[in-house]
Structure formats: structure tokens, C-alpha cells
Amino acid sequence: CVGINLRYRFHVSLLCKLVSCFGDRAGQFFSSGHTNNWAVLVCTSRFWFNYRHVANTLSVYRSVKRLGIPDSHIVLMLADDMACNHRNPKPATVFSHKNMELNVYGDDVEVDYRGYEVTVENFLRILTGRLPPSTPRSKRLLSDDRSNILIYLTGHGGNGFLKFQDSEEISNVELADAFEQMWQKRRYNELLFIIDTCQGASMYERFYSPNLMALASSQVGEDSLSHQPDLAIGVHLMDRYTFYLLEFLEDIHPASKTNMNDLFKVCPKSQCVSTPGHRTDLFLRDPGSVLITDFFGSVRKVELTMETINLTDPIDAESGELQKEMHTYADQLPVSEIIHQKPKQKDWHPPDGFILGLWTLILLVFFQTYGVKHLKHIF
Amino acid sequence: MAAPLTLLLLVAVTVRAALFRSSLSELISERVEVVSPLTAWKRVIEGLALLDLGVSPYSGDVFHETPLTIYLFHFLVDYAEVTFMVSVAGSSVVVTYLILFQFRKQKFALEADRYPLDCLELIRSPKEMYYIPLKVAMFYLLNPFTILSCVAKSTCGLNNAIIALFILSTIKGNVLLSAIFLSLATYQSIYPLTLCAPALLYLMQRQYIPVNFRRASFWWFIVQYAFMYLGSLFVIICLSFFLLGSWDYLPSVYGFILSVPDLTPNIGLFWYFFAEMFEHFRLFFLCVFQINVFFYTIPLSIKLKEHPVFLIFMQLAVISIFKSYPTVGDISLYMAFLPVWSHLHRFLRNIFLVSCVLLACSALFPVLWHLWIYAGSANSNFYYAITLLFNVAQILLVSDYFYAFLRREHHLTYGLYLKRKDGSEATLVLK
């Protein structure tokens, strides 16, 4: 990726001349600057009556996967298992439309963090990358400075916080600091943050890192409402904002040119009773030039070049061996001594004065009681 | 007497050796009823390991043995099993010998003249008494409690050996040795201090010093004994100081015994109370509980001043029940003396109840422990209930023997079959 990037800079001037006839579209083609896409989709509520939050997350997952982001680049965190919940009358399904039109669970859903693994700590560790070395790749956000990340949170929230698992919460300050850490560690190129909770706009008002765009389903003081319930399943299937977001995304395909301004118009107040909000002041590009697929899809860039490139000569086998020898592992600790260490000699001995005193006393007592000449009476 | 004793020793050693080699030994050495924080072998090894690493073994709350124990085990740690078996065998031999010695003193004819005629059946004949030392040795060696305590390598066995030696030297009449062994026993755990009183009474009886507060000889003897006892205690404590060069062991050993900071469940009464009481009452209850151990000395010694051997038994029982970290090893010591008072059987009233309760509780201890700790379906109340019941049974046993002893004394003085003035049979009413 890095090589392509350098060459991109090198060739953009040439290509711009070459494709000047394409004009605007070429500029747009290279305008985003990202080379890979990641998505972190989190549902923070458990229990059966929060079915809709799981359905929300799975709908976004479905859209994101359909638009090209592979499972290896999606971190899906679901706090509860609705598909196999014993109250689910249709097991192994999670529906997003009433009348069960759309099963967002399907056969190929890969949940990375499930159940009680969805905690504030794990979420922050994913974002900042501070995971124990034993964490598998599927549970890591392996983004770099050319990644565009979509972060989608849903659950129950309030003014300045989002509740995780009914027992803890993440505050907007923590989230903003996590994003700042990501920026300082160059873990994202651009980040789109969508939140569908009550008073969701409070979660993005503390952001201060560059290249963040945020969308929320409701303003501070407003509740995000759920869409219609399904009488057969018995719970509300989706939240309004995500319902209309899903409807909007169903029309997007990998080559579509819809931009963010269209996304901001999703779910006006007439449809969602709450007022959706967005924040773009930290974003360096104009939202009108940001494609939906920059975040929701995984568009691979193909670069055409007419030049031939000469690769360097292959490395010789001999110099390869030399190189191998240079890379020997030097023991930091005297490993052989530690492994084969003999048990430590018993170093401690009682002081001589003690032994002397003790045995003198014992002998004194012995002779005092028995006396040398009385010994034969004892035996 | 030597041959049956040897046979008994062989059997006991075989049983213990078999258990040492089996997989049960680890299981037993972790049971809280058998080992306490004071006597656990694991802690002894830990302390010695700390010492080898150059750290004081008393740092941290691991090791609560006295420095002389460190000295002993420093050389014997590889032969621990043998040491404990030897100490158990030794204490049983000692106990046998002392009972034998005690009985030799009692002459049948002399006693028979002192008592009313119908009490002859209360007096033991030498024939009956012949097998009692062997029975005592058997009670001590083959008692499951002793076996468990020995297999767990609890240092309780050593404490018992020292107390047995103390009783032996008291009964032999050797004032100096008695004082020295008593100070050693007190040095190991503080509670044998209460055995001073019976030792004094016995020695004074032997030396025909009347127990009378106004007599000078009484006080002089007490001063002598106290001087020897305190002197040897002082010498032992100073010697312990020179072993490690610090006074660390005083708060670790004696502070630990007296202030009971470790509330691991055991068969005693302290842990549950102190786990649930508020901090500002802790000192008060600590004082109450500790005084409880020492409290029975004076009344009992006033009542039993002519019978110091029985007083030793009572005191040992009181110590084992009310001490801060009792284990089954302590119980086995006083239970070993029960055959000595086999002539009291006709006056014991609760023996069936007591034995049933003791057996049931001993069986229930591991069950409720498992239910509490592993299965999680019981809680500490269950275990403490069994502890309480066990201690109540022990107290009942001890008080029953006390009652039987006093009743026998009463009958010896006033006759066995009491008759009223008109000749009809009288009944004895306990008010």
C-alpha cells in the first residue's frame, strides 16, 4: 500500500495530464486518499426487548458487507444473541423489516465480540489497538494511516454517555480521547461515526481530532424512537433512524456516487420523530465530495500506468545466508543457566553461638536432673 | 507391658507410613480441621525457604512457628515424616510410662482403708488398672485424629510431645524439668501457661507441702517454681533472639496467637465471630475470648486441689476447646487420657450422646466444607454450626467426666448406697 501511495504522488501529475479529458471524475477518483476500509459495529444492549439494537447493527453489517468490506475488516460486537434467544419464535433469524421481509442474520454473519465480551474496555482497546498479544486477528482493528473507518454504535444512551451491557457506560469524553489516541497513532485516515441512541448528538460534541465526521439519530434532550413492532416476534424490530438508513443504503451499490450530503438528509423529522444531527467541522474535505462508498464500501483503487518499471536484481542465495547469520538471537538473560539451575544450596545455618548456647543448656539440665552417678537408676 | 506396646507402635507406624505414601497425605495436609495457620507444614517449608533466600521467615503472614522449631526443622526437613512419627510414638511412650508410674504409686491396700466399705467397687483394683497404660497408648496412637494430624505433618504433634514430657516430669516429681518443659510448651503456644496450676498442686502434694495460703512453705515453693519457669522461659526467648538476630518472632508468634488476625475457618470458635464483628468491638471480644481460656484455671484448681492429675486433664481439654486455632491434634491429646478414668464410666450420663455427636460432626466437617467452598450451595453458617456442635459435644464430654469424678469423690466420702435416717434408699439430687 505504501509503495502505491508514493507512486500515486509521483504519478498524479502525469495521470492528471493523461486523464484530463475525464476531468472531474479523475480528480474525484484520487480525492479520498484512503486505501482500505474498516468497520466497527457495536450493539451495546442485551436482553430480548433490545432486539432492535442487534437488528440495527446487523443491518449496517449487511450493508457494509454487501458494499464490499470483507469480514476480516469488520469488527462486529453484539452484546446478546437474539437469533438463538429462547424467546425468538423464529430461531436463527433476526429480522429488520416487519412482516419478516429481510433476515439480516443469514448464514455468513461473523460476530467477533459476543455477549459479555462487549465491554467498554474491549471497545476502547479495539480502537486504540492495545490488545494482549494473544488476541486473534479477527478481534483486532488493524487499521493504518490510510484506513477509512466506519464506527456504528447503538444501544441505550443519555446526555454524554452510552450504556454498555446494563452495567457500565462510556462517556463522550472517553470516546473523544480514544479517537485522539487513534489520530496520534495514525490509526485512521478518516473516520465516520454514526450513533443511534437517545440523545446521540451528545456523544460527538466532544470530538477534537481531525478528520472525524459524525452522525447521530437524535439531538440532546430528544429520544430516538423505535420503528414499528412486529406482532409475531413481539418486539420492536428496528430503530427508526437505522431503518431509514438501511433503506437508503439498499439503494447504494459499489459504483454509486451518492455523497454525504445525501446521508445527512436520511430520516428527516417527519419520519424519525427525533432530529438527526451531524458534525462535519473536524472533517478536512467537503462533505459533498465524500462518497458513501468511501466509508460503507471497500472500493479498490486501480491505477493505470504506461511506464515500465525495472525491478532490482533478485537477492543471491549466499548473501541471503549472510543476512540470516546477521540476524542471530542474542540471549538477553543467561538462559542456559536459568533453565539448568541447580537448586540453591541451603545457605542459612543457625549461628554458632546459638547452637553452643542451646546444647550447653540442654547438657546442664540433663546433668542437673540426672547427675552422672544416677544414670544407672534410669536404665 | 513392653511387648504389647511395641506391637502397638508397629501397627501405628505402619498405618501412618501407609498413609504417608498414599495420595491422601496431600489431601489431609490441606484440611483446615487438621492444620491451622500455626501448625501447617506447608508454612514451615515456606518459612525455611524464605530463610534460605535470605529473608526473615516472619516477614509477611506466612510463618508462625517459634525459632526453636526453625532450628529443629532446619536439620530435619528432609526427614519430616520420620520426625513426626517419632514424636507421636515418643509422646505415646511417655504418656504410657507416666500413667504406669502414677499407678505404681497408688497402693491398693492403703486406699481401701480410707473409704467406707460399700465403696470398694468404686476403687480400682490393680488387675483392672493393668491394661490402662496400654489403652492410653492405643487411644493416642490409633486415634484417627492423631493419625490425621501426623499424616498432615502438623507441628501439633511436637506440641503434644512437649506437653506429654511436661506431664511426665511433673508426675516424676522433678521440679526443674517440669518447669523447663512447661516453659517450652508455653513458648510454643501460650495456652499451656494454665497448666502451671495443676503442676504446682501436684508437686506440692508430692512434697507434702499443704496448700494453704497462710503457709510460708506454700509461697516459697511457688516462688521457686515461678523462678525456674520464668527463668527458663526468659532463657529460651533470648536464645530464640540469637537464632535470627531479631525480635520479629514475638509479634509473629505470640501476637498472632493472641490477636487472631487470620480467620481461616477451623474447628474453633474464634473465626466466625471475628469475621462478622465490627472493628471497634474487636478488642473487647478478643479479650473476652482469650480470658475465657485462662478463666477456668482458678475455680477448677480450687475445686480439684487434691486431684491435680484430673485437673491437668481438665485444663488440657479446656485449652484444646477454647484456644484460638485448635486442630484435631489438640483434641487427641486429652482424649488419650480418657481410659485413665475408665472407672468413672458408671457415673457418666451423656456418653452416648457425646460420642454420637462427635462422630457425626467429624463426618460432617468435610461434607459441609465441600458444600460451602466447592459446591457453593451451603455457606459458612453450616460449617460453623458443625463447629459449634463439635465444641459443645467436647464441653459436654469434659463436664460429664468432671461430674462423674466429683460424684465418685462424693460417694467415696459418704458411701455409695445412700440411706436415709430411716433406712430407706436415698436419692442424690444435683442442685
Side-chain angles (χ1 to χ4, degrees):
Chain A
C1 297
V2 176
I4 294 172
N5 200 16
L6 288 171
R7 252 178 280 139
Y8 146 68
R9 290 200 209 289
F10 193 64
H11 285 287
V12 69
S13 48
L14 282 165
L15 265 167
C16 273
K17 286 178 200 141
L18 277 169
V19 299
S20 59
C21 54
F22 295 110
D24 208 11
R25 295 181 67 161
Q28 218 175 39
F29 192 70
F30 289 109
S31 65
S32 68
H34 73 282
T35 57
N36 55 79
N37 285 83
W38 284 82
V40 179
L41 311 174
V42 185
C43 159
T44 60
S45 340
R46 51 175 34 240
F47 307 128
W48 172 246
F49 48 82
N50 290 323
Y51 184 103
R52 60 191 189 279
H53 297 139
V54 173
N56 289 349
T57 320
L58 285 170
S59 321
V60 177
Y61 172 80
R62 174 203 148 74
S63 311
V64 145
K65 207 159 142 175
R66 187 177 56 81
L67 289 171
I69 302 186
D71 273 313
S72 56
H73 282 225
I74 302 177
V75 179
L76 179 60
M77 302 171 74
L78 296 180
D80 205 352
D81 185 2
M82 296 307 170
C84 299
N85 194 310
H86 50 266
R87 289 170 75 169
N88 192 347
K90 304 276 175 200
T93 60
V94 175
F95 290 108
S96 65
H97 277 186
K98 66 180 169 82
N99 301 328
M100 296 177 266
E101 289 166 13
L102 184 59
N103 175 19
V104 289
Y105 200 68
D107 287 335
D108 57 350
V109 169
E110 279 185 25
V111 182
D112 301 305
Y113 284 82
R114 63 198 61 191
Y116 287 110
E117 291 171 353
V118 178
T119 58
V120 172
E121 183 188 341
N122 282 350
F123 178 61
L124 290 174
R125 281 188 186 276
I126 290 168
L127 290 183
T128 54
R130 292 201 182 88
L131 289 159
S134 56
T135 319
R137 288 179 71 95
S138 60
K139 285 186 161 173
R140 290 179 185 258
L141 178 66
L142 296 164
S143 54
D144 52 34
D145 63 325
R146 291 285 126 216
S147 310
N148 274 13
I149 308 182
L150 166 71
I151 296 187
Y152 176 82
L153 294 174
T154 183
H156 289 286
N159 188 355
F161 67 91
L162 169 64
K163 184 173 76 158
F164 268 70
Q165 297 272 12
D166 219 28
S167 63
E168 52 182 2
E169 36 193 59
I170 187 170
S171 65
N172 48 6
V173 177
E174 277 180 318
L175 199 56
D177 286 339
F179 287 152
E180 175 63 16
Q181 285 186 55
M182 287 175 80
W183 173 252
Q184 289 192 6
K185 288 166 80 162
R186 297 291 180 264
R187 282 171 67 77
Y188 69 90
N189 175 38
E190 284 164 354
L191 198 145
L192 176 63
F193 175 77
I194 305 182
I195 184 160
D196 187 354
T197 64
C198 305
Q199 307 190 53
S202 63
M203 289 304 283
Y204 62 64
E205 60 189 19
R206 295 293 196 121
F207 289 170
Y208 54 94
S209 315
N211 270 347
L212 294 176
M213 196 187 314
L215 280 127
S217 58
S218 56
Q219 300 293 333
V220 175
E222 286 179 347
D223 288 337
S224 287
L225 300 172
S226 55
H227 203 55
Q228 290 160 358
D230 183 293
L231 295 171
I233 296 180
V235 285
H236 289 260
L237 295 184
M238 285 276 272
D239 281 328
R240 284 175 187 253
Y241 183 76
T242 313
F243 181 80
Y244 290 109
L245 181 69
L246 179 66
E247 254 187 26
F248 173 78
L249 287 172
E250 289 290 300
D251 294 331
I252 307 287
H253 55 90
S256 46
K257 294 283 167 263
T258 24
N259 56 35
M260 281 296 162
N261 285 333
D262 303 321
L263 192 62
F264 296 153
K265 290 185 204 132
V266 161
C267 207
K269 198 173 165 90
S270 54
Q271 283 176 327
C272 297
V273 179
S274 53
T275 319
H278 55 90
R279 182 176 174 178
T280 52
D281 56 319
L282 294 165
F283 207 74
L284 294 176
R285 286 194 290 153
D286 172 38
S289 66
V290 179
L291 297 176
I292 301 286
T293 51
D294 280 352
F295 289 102
F296 283 88
S298 181
V299 182
R300 296 275 183 268
K301 298 274 191 331
V302 174
E303 196 177 299
L304 302 169
T305 172
M306 305 298 186
E307 285 200 1
T308 53
I309 297 155
N310 286 326
L311 295 173
T312 54
D313 289 328
I315 302 170
D316 285 338
E318 289 154 356
S319 55
E321 272 163 37
L322 274 173
Q323 277 196 333
K324 274 183 214 160
E325 271 171 36
M326 271 165 27
H327 294 117
T328 51
Y329 180 74
D331 282 342
Q332 300 291 318
L333 302 164
V335 174
S336 52
E337 280 175 33
I338 293 172
I339 291 174
H340 301 293
Q341 200 176 33
K342 290 201 183 67
K344 216 168 169 180
Q345 300 294 329
K346 285 184 189 162
D347 291 325
W348 181 77
H349 286 289
D352 298 328
F354 172 81
I355 302 178
L356 200 68
L358 185 68
W359 287 103
T360 318
L361 281 167
I362 292 176
L363 282 171
L364 270 175
V365 168
F366 184 76
F367 284 119
Q368 159 72 19
T369 42
Y370 294 112
V372 183
K373 58 185 191 289
H374 291 301
L375 277 174
K376 61 174 188 277
H377 287 282
I378 308 300
F379 294 102
Chain B
M1 192 55 57
L5 189 61
T6 323
L7 186 65
L8 200 58
L9 279 175
L10 268 172
V11 168
V13 166
T14 315
V15 168
R16 282 167 173 78
L19 278 173
F20 269 132
R21 292 283 165 262
S22 74
S23 63
L24 283 174
S25 64
E26 274 154 27
L27 195 73
I28 292 172
S29 52
E30 284 168 3
R31 300 281 339 155
V32 286
E33 299 96 11
V34 184
V35 295
S36 69
L38 281 176
T39 60
W41 178 246
K42 200 169 58 157
R43 289 176 183 250
V44 172
I45 302 183
E46 185 79 24
L48 289 176
L50 282 173
L51 206 51
D52 288 337
L53 288 170
V55 176
S56 159
Y58 297 109
S59 54
D61 190 34
V62 150
F63 187 71
H64 300 290
E65 300 281 354
T66 54
L68 283 183
T69 325
I70 297 181
Y71 176 65
L72 179 74
F73 282 118
H74 174 69
F75 296 107
L76 292 175
V77 69
D78 296 324
Y79 309 107
E81 300 165 1
V82 173
T83 314
F84 283 107
M85 282 204 272
V86 160
S87 71
V88 162
S91 36
S92 67
V93 165
V94 157
V95 155
T96 314
Y97 184 53
L98 77 93
I99 301 217
L100 211 58
F101 190 74
Q102 168 70 356
F103 286 168
R104 275 199 209 130
K105 281 180 9 83
Q106 283 180 342
K107 303 238 180 346
F108 177 66
L110 261 177
E111 288 216 5
D113 284 340
R114 279 162 54 187
Y115 298 114
L117 277 170
D118 55 358
C119 293
L120 275 178
E121 55 197 78
L122 286 180
I123 317 262
R124 282 184 296 200
S125 60
K127 210 166 65 168
E128 287 165 11
M129 297 200 298
Y130 184 69
Y131 280 111
I132 289 180
L134 198 63
K135 276 194 215 164
V136 169
M138 190 168 71
F139 263 56
Y140 188 66
L141 284 172
L142 298 180
N143 193 351
F145 290 153
T146 332
I147 295 181
L148 282 176
S149 180
C150 183
V151 171
K153 291 191 269 212
S154 153
T155 55
C156 196
L158 287 178
N159 293 358
N160 287 356
I162 294 177
I163 294 177
L165 281 168
F166 153 71
I167 301 176
L168 175 66
S169 52
T170 313
I171 289 187
K172 297 269 300 205
N174 196 327
V175 183
L176 178 67
L177 267 187
S178 159
I180 288 177
F181 279 121
L182 187 63
S183 64
L184 211 58
T186 312
Y187 168 75
Q188 284 283 105
S189 64
I190 304 177
Y191 300 106
L193 180 63
T194 57
L195 293 172
C196 243
L200 276 169
L201 285 170
Y202 190 87
L203 290 165
M204 284 197 279
Q205 204 180 60
R206 251 185 93 96
Q207 296 188 358
Y208 303 111
I209 300 170
V211 181
N212 197 340
F213 284 124
R214 284 178 233 128
R215 294 286 192 110
S217 53
F218 173 76
W219 289 111
W220 175 236
F221 186 76
I222 288 186
V223 163
Q224 272 181 312
Y225 192 81
F227 176 73
M228 281 191 274
Y229 172 69
L230 289 171
S232 46
L233 193 60
F234 179 72
V235 164
I236 292 173
I237 288 185
C238 288
L239 210 57
S240 316
F241 169 73
F242 285 118
L243 185 76
L244 287 172
S246 69
W247 294 107
D248 281 351
Y249 72 97
L250 287 174
S252 268
V253 181
Y254 303 117
F256 187 79
I257 297 176
L258 288 175
S259 67
V260 192
D262 187 321
L263 297 175
T264 318
N266 48 46
I267 57 175
L269 301 162
F270 279 66
W271 58 277
Y272 189 81
F273 275 102
F274 285 93
E276 64 176 15
M277 77 174 49
F278 294 116
E279 274 305 311
H280 50 272
F281 285 127
R282 201 191 152 86
L283 185 61
F284 169 68
F285 276 104
L286 206 57
C287 294
V288 166
F289 275 72
Q290 297 286 6
I291 286 173
N292 191 29
V293 186
F294 296 98
F295 192 69
Y296 299 99
T297 316
I298 309 244
L300 278 176
S301 39
I302 291 173
K303 183 71 193 169
L304 292 171
K305 60 180 185 246
E306 278 115 36
H307 312 286
V309 185
F310 192 71
L311 182 60
I312 291 183
F313 167 72
M314 293 287 294
Q315 278 294 76
L316 277 176
V318 160
I319 291 173
S320 320
I321 298 170
F322 294 113
K323 70 192 284 196
S324 46
Y325 293 101
T327 62
V328 292
D330 302 310
I331 294 167
S332 65
L333 183 63
Y334 80 81
M335 277 197 184
F337 285 109
L338 290 179
V340 180
W341 289 286
S342 53
H343 58 285
L344 297 175
H345 279 169
R346 58 186 297 166
F347 298 119
L348 289 174
R349 298 184 300 170
N350 298 322
I351 201 71
F352 177 67
L353 179 69
V354 164
S355 48
C356 283
V357 172
L358 283 176
L359 277 172
C361 288
S362 319
L364 278 174
F365 270 125
V367 169
L368 285 167
W369 179 260
H370 177 85
L371 273 181
W372 172 24
I373 301 286
Y374 297 108
S377 50
N379 56 37
S380 58
N381 298 322
F382 290 68
Y383 193 76
Y384 191 61
I386 299 300
T387 305
L388 272 179
L389 205 55
F390 192 71
N391 287 321
V392 161
Q394 283 183 70
I395 293 170
L396 197 57
L397 175 72
V398 168
S399 60
D400 212 18
Y401 266 92
F402 191 46
Y403 162 79
F405 190 84
L406 292 177
R407 184 157 166 191
R408 179 176 173 270
E409 292 303 310
H410 179 268
H411 281 306
L412 284 175
T413 330
Y414 295 110
L416 187 55
Y417 298 106
L418 303 166
K419 293 203 167 30
R420 292 196 201 157
K421 293 210 177 82
D422 55 359
S424 61
E425 205 174 304
T427 48
L428 207 56
V429 175
L430 200 64
K431 283 236 177 90

